[in-house]
Amino acid sequence: MATLKELSKQDELLSGGHRLCAGCGIPPIVRLVLRAANAPVVATTATGCLEVGTTIYPYTAWRIPWIHSAFENAAATISGVETAYRALKKRGKVTQEDMKFIAFGGDGGTYDIGLQALSGALERGHDFLYVCYDNGAYMNTGIQRSSATPFYSNTTTSPAGEVIQGKQEWRKDLTRIVVAHNVPYAAQASPHNWSDLSKKAEKALKTKGPTFLNVMSPCPLGWYTKSEDSIKWAKLSVDTCYWPLYEVEDGILRVTYKPKEKKPLADWLKPQGRFKHLFKPENEHLLEKFQARVDLEWQRLLDLDGKRL
Amino acid sequence: MAITMTKGQVGLTGNSAVAYAMKQINPDVCAAYPITPSTAIIEDFSGYVADGAVETELITVESEHSAMSACIGASAAGARVMTATSSQGLALMWEMLYIASGMRLPIVLANVNRALSAPINIHCDHSDSMGARDAGWIQIYSETVQEAYDNMFQAVRIAENSNVLLPVMVCFDGFITSHAIENISLVDDAEVKDFVGEYNPATMLLNTDNPVTYGAMTLPDTYIEFKHQQSQAMSRSKDIALEAGKEFGKRFGREYGLFDSYRLEDAEVAIVIMNSAAGTTKVAVDELRKQGKKVGVLRPRLFRPFPFREIANALKGIKAIAILDRVDSMNDFGGPLFNEVRSALYDLETRPKVFGRIYGLGGRDYKVKDALGVFDELYKVVETGKIDTLTKYITL
């Protein structure tokens, strides 16, 4: 893997000047993943913040071939691109020896509306990497809940109201769903740990067949946090074990980061406006329930560490 | 499937003929999801892939939405791309149909016409492709197996023409044409290759030396210009389609126009009808002609773009015309063909009397007697100068 110094000297494949928010987690994720390719890359993006923010015509921030077609079909679209590569290479119409294919989607485009297309593409075994930037809600359309939205989170469609305190359902474990497709490589990562994310992206892109990265992506707008603190909150999501960093390679699960001191979940929740209601005295039991579930999920993961799934 | 020719002719179902056309075209990528009654196209084609009879990469996707999405990805990547579907499949593709045409991707789709649910029905009508008539796809309708086969080659040529660059849908009737065996003439492989030519797109995702962005976001300052250009391409495609039909005739002896006129030159009354039912109507015409009645048929082939001037010109001087739709627009004012042909006739100095009839939904038979019944009605209109009912269902 390249050192940070080497990485900083590489050409930016996603140029500056795009219109994603200050403090958005998506650009560092995309830039780190693209840097890990070591070969020409073609990318697709599901409809969402990344697409809207990078390609307002006549501008494009993409210095690589890029396509967006719709919301729920990034995996199907990249299937077509990757298959065209094999077809045209066979016929000698494309001579590029090695090419990488990456699909980017938010949690809305991946966990929810795009899950079928993702499952299909994983099952068919296309040679591509799918990167989900998980900011925990439909942020592009104004913070509506997704199946990735954290427990009790206040969103515009799961508001913390007089009777119902935010989202009532535990989030979908998409990484495990992807792993159940028996893909050769899948991992969870976070942009605060650039080295871990880069390593995982490099590994995924080196691996033949479908691979998957689920990356925590802070969203100051939807989390009600300060732009300059995003990376800090990404780190705390990992140090509280809400968002564990792990990988599943050829069926073997490995936790890639174990915090020396597991931080209380409240440390991550408290600074975020979306969890404000949890800190009312009458909601203490919800906070306890949330902490208990995080502890359980973390323990389940530790139990699997080093094991073949 | 091994195809054996006898005296230059071969008995094939519509589906097998279209699959064979795809084999001969040998596209780079085919992404498809099976659905009745078009399933056999993809089954036959999968056989060609499995036997190494084509170089095509087949993507057996998990839905029609993904089929069209993968076609879009592959086409933007620079591949020649084909697919096939019917009914609910086309309906599920609906979102992506607009994106394929808006991105100006010359994808070719064989649509085997089938009714839309509910109630669910697997048989023929035109509600599927007519529902997609404003999706920006060129639509060619086919009367026979031979024509469905021939249209596939013309479709590739029209779609990929640099003055067009639009996707093309070749439509033919479910079961009636897709499953009926007809003796057809095949075109020689080498001649197919020459007729469709090589596809060399100006831009493609796989050219990393010239990275391009497909599917950018537009705002009110540019969106309408994109749509205007697309609309102009659609207008231009009419001449290109005509040219392709002529060139096909020159090479293979079967010339195709924008529409097919049958005994229309001196006709007093006429039926306008599409796809296989035109054949049935022609039988009725022949019977009536034997009785000395001057009747004819106009069968539109190209429905998108709609050749309204040419159709109006061909129907000029006819006293009464019935326009038959195998679909209802549910607008209390007849089907799409009725509305468009009737509108096309508006600029004629002497307008014919026109009425619309909806027939054969969900595979209900349309028989020679039904056509004769419509001709009877037409003569009544000529005699009385009055139309009793502007639009109604027949074959009930």
Side-chain angles (χ1 to χ4, degrees):
Chain A
M1 202 191 83
T3 63
L4 192 54
K5 202 171 168 188
E6 283 162 352
L7 281 180
S8 70
K9 283 181 186 158
Q10 283 182 12
D11 291 337
E12 285 288 0
L13 299 177
L14 181 77
S15 82
H18 57 69
R19 306 179 195 202
L20 286 156
C21 304
C24 172
I26 306 168
I29 295 168
V30 172
R31 286 159 59 212
L32 280 171
V33 169
L34 291 178
R35 280 192 161 103
N38 296 317
V41 181
V42 181
T44 187
T45 302
T47 306
C49 291
L50 177 58
E51 166 261 327
V52 172
T54 55
T55 65
I56 297 182
Y57 185 82
Y59 304 105
T60 180
W62 298 88
R63 290 176 174 152
I64 54 169
W66 179 92
I67 180 170
H68 153 257
S69 72
F71 188 13
E72 68 279 56
N73 64 351
T77 306
I78 206 73
S79 297
V81 178
E82 184 264 350
T83 307
Y85 170 66
R86 282 185 281 117
L88 295 180
K89 204 172 151 207
K90 192 164 68 180
R91 285 183 152 161
K93 287 184 121 180
V94 168
T95 49
Q96 185 67 49
E97 261 318 306
D98 189 21
M99 270 179 104
K100 303 295 181 194
F101 302 94
I102 308 176
F104 293 99
D107 46 297
T110 310
Y111 283 69
D112 292 343
I113 201 166
L115 183 61
Q116 175 184 316
L118 174 63
S119 173
L122 297 175
E123 181 272 335
R124 291 190 299 274
H126 294 279
D127 186 21
F128 76 113
L129 164 64
Y130 193 105
V131 180
C132 174
Y133 56 90
D134 179 350
N135 50 28
Y138 301 146
M139 299 309 187
N140 187 47
T141 47
I143 324 165
Q144 294 83 29
R145 67 91 84 184
S146 78
S147 61
T149 298
F151 223 14
Y152 303 129
S153 184
N154 174 42
T155 74
T156 53
T157 52
S158 65
E162 295 294 325
V163 179
I164 303 170
Q165 297 300 317
K167 192 201 181 209
Q168 297 297 295
E169 302 79 23
W170 185 253
R171 54 182 292 277
K172 187 187 280 181
D173 193 346
L174 182 67
T175 308
R176 294 292 295 279
I177 293 170
V178 168
V179 167
H181 288 75
N182 294 313
V183 297
Y185 188 81
Q188 280 194 179
S190 167
H192 80 276
N193 192 338
W194 66 270
S195 142
D196 181 74
L197 172 56
S198 296
K199 258 187 231 157
K200 285 171 176 168
E202 205 166 280
K203 221 183 238 187
L205 285 161
K206 230 185 252 171
T207 306
K208 277 276 160 212
T211 55
F212 179 80
L213 290 181
N214 201 357
V215 191
M216 172 53 70
S217 184
C219 173
L221 183 81
W223 293 12
Y224 302 92
T225 49
K226 286 185 194 153
S227 298
E228 60 269 32
D229 290 339
S230 288
I231 292 300
K232 195 155 89 186
W233 305 139
K235 185 174 188 316
L236 257 184
S237 77
V238 173
D239 282 336
T240 54
C241 299
Y242 174 79
W243 189 260
L245 305 186
Y246 71 99
E247 62 184 8
V248 180
E249 197 176 356
D250 295 324
I252 295 169
L253 187 146
R254 199 170 64 84
V255 178
T256 57
Y257 171 80
K258 288 174 195 163
K260 276 190 193 111
E261 180 205 349
K262 182 166 169 275
K263 299 261 170 66
L265 182 67
D267 288 5
W268 182 58
L269 303 182
K270 202 158 189 184
Q272 301 184 50
R274 59 178 173 162
F275 299 115
K276 203 167 109 192
H277 54 292
L278 291 184
F279 294 90
K280 288 181 187 164
E282 65 269 28
N283 286 335
E284 209 184 325
H285 65 291
L286 300 180
L287 206 55
E288 281 165 15
K289 216 171 142 188
F290 197 170
Q291 179 68 64
R293 183 67 189 258
V294 167
D295 293 346
L296 174 74
E297 296 295 333
W298 174 242
Q299 191 53 53
R300 276 171 61 178
L301 196 71
L302 289 178
D303 291 348
L304 293 169
D305 189 20
K307 301 226 166 58
R308 186 176 294 279
L309 296 179
Chain B
M1 194 170 99
I3 305 272
T4 328
M5 276 211 269
T6 321
K7 292 178 186 167
Q9 291 251 303
V10 57
L12 287 178
T13 62
N15 281 341
S16 290
V18 164
Y20 196 72
M22 287 168 67
K23 170 188 176 275
Q24 293 183 294
I25 293 162
N26 197 359
D28 300 308
V29 174
C30 170
Y33 189 80
I35 180 167
T36 305
S38 62
T39 309
I41 298 176
I42 298 311
E43 286 176 340
D44 276 16
F45 194 74
S46 303
Y48 295 135
V49 172
D51 291 342
V54 288
E55 289 173 287
T56 312
E57 290 290 334
L58 177 68
I59 319 178
T60 48
V61 280
E62 80 298 330
S63 75
E64 288 90 352
H65 192 281
S66 284
M68 190 44 63
S69 300
C71 283
I72 287 167
S75 183
R80 176 177 277 165
V81 180
M82 303 183 100
T83 187
T85 194
S86 291
S87 183
Q88 305 306 122
L90 191 69
L92 189 55
M93 281 182 187
W94 198 80
E95 179 193 26
M96 301 316 297
L97 292 177
Y98 280 78
I99 293 172
S101 62
M103 284 190 179
R104 310 289 300 277
L105 299 172
I107 298 161
V108 171
L109 178 153
N111 183 65
V112 182
N113 285 110
R114 167 186 151 183
L116 285 177
S117 299
I120 188 169
N121 175 296
I122 59 167
H123 294 278
C124 174
D125 73 32
H126 301 158
S127 49
D128 51 3
S129 57
M130 280 296 166
R133 68 186 182 275
D134 293 340
W137 284 59
I138 293 165
Q139 288 191 332
I140 310 174
Y141 287 78
S142 330
E143 180 179 332
T144 60
V145 172
Q146 181 75 66
E147 195 189 347
Y149 170 79
D150 291 348
N151 282 344
M152 291 299 284
F153 307 116
Q154 294 167 63
V156 174
R157 210 174 142 122
I158 300 162
E160 293 173 3
N161 186 294
S162 58
N163 284 314
V164 177
L165 292 176
L166 287 172
V168 178
M169 199 178 289
V170 172
C171 306
F172 57 100
D173 284 349
F175 292 108
I176 303 164
T177 311
S178 68
H179 285 61
I181 295 178
E182 189 183 304
N183 264 346
I184 67 162
S185 298
L186 297 179
V187 177
D188 179 74
D189 285 357
E191 289 182 87
V192 166
K193 216 173 156 187
D194 193 54
F195 182 78
V196 299
E198 280 262 325
Y199 178 47
N200 293 309
T203 56
M204 54 194 274
L205 289 172
L206 294 177
N207 180 1
T208 48
D209 295 333
N210 177 30
V212 283
T213 285
Y214 273 85
M217 162 104 179
T218 61
L219 294 172
D221 60 340
T222 54
Y223 179 85
I224 195 169
E225 276 72 24
F226 279 100
K227 288 294 146 186
H228 185 223
Q229 287 184 358
Q230 193 185 331
S231 176
Q232 287 174 318
M234 186 56 99
S235 302
R236 288 194 297 268
S237 73
K238 190 177 69 185
D239 287 341
I240 309 293
L242 203 54
E243 207 176 277
K246 272 207 182 105
E247 178 65 20
F248 194 86
K250 209 157 71 185
R251 292 188 190 213
F252 311 118
R254 294 182 297 278
E255 188 177 322
Y256 294 96
L258 302 172
F259 50 85
D260 166 28
S261 300
Y262 188 72
R263 307 186 85 161
L264 210 57
E265 306 73 32
D266 62 340
E268 291 172 338
V269 300
I271 289 179
V272 179
I273 193 164
M274 288 161 82
N275 275 9
S276 66
T280 314
T281 313
K282 287 173 187 175
V283 175
V285 164
D286 290 346
E287 276 186 30
L288 292 171
R289 282 274 174 180
K290 272 184 214 154
Q291 300 166 22
K293 289 188 171 156
K294 292 179 175 173
V295 297
V297 180
L298 186 140
R299 177 182 66 87
R301 279 185 75 236
L302 200 66
F303 189 75
R304 284 289 179 268
F306 190 67
F308 62 95
R309 279 189 209 92
E310 293 83 351
I311 285 180
N313 200 41
L315 295 173
K316 198 168 57 188
I318 295 175
K319 289 174 187 160
I321 300 165
I323 299 150
L324 271 62
D325 274 281
R326 203 163 199 155
V327 55
D328 189 350
S329 283
M330 297 291 173
N331 56 1
D332 195 30
F333 196 59
L337 186 63
F338 168 70
N339 276 281
E340 301 210 4
V341 173
R342 191 171 184 264
S343 167
L345 298 173
Y346 187 82
D347 290 329
L348 289 181
E349 273 181 30
T350 315
R351 279 182 223 136
K353 292 280 176 197
V354 177
F355 62 76
R357 295 292 177 259
I358 288 166
Y359 75 98
L361 301 190
R364 177 65 53 86
D365 278 341
Y366 167 83
K367 296 177 178 170
V368 175
K369 73 171 175 59
D370 299 310
L372 291 171
V374 175
F375 279 122
D376 269 356
E377 277 197 89
L378 282 167
Y379 270 109
K380 224 171 276 169
V381 169
V382 172
E383 280 159 28
T384 62
K386 276 185 197 156
I387 295 167
D388 280 346
T389 320
L390 188 61
T391 62
K392 69 171 180 189
Y393 276 55
I394 58 167
T395 66
L396 283 168

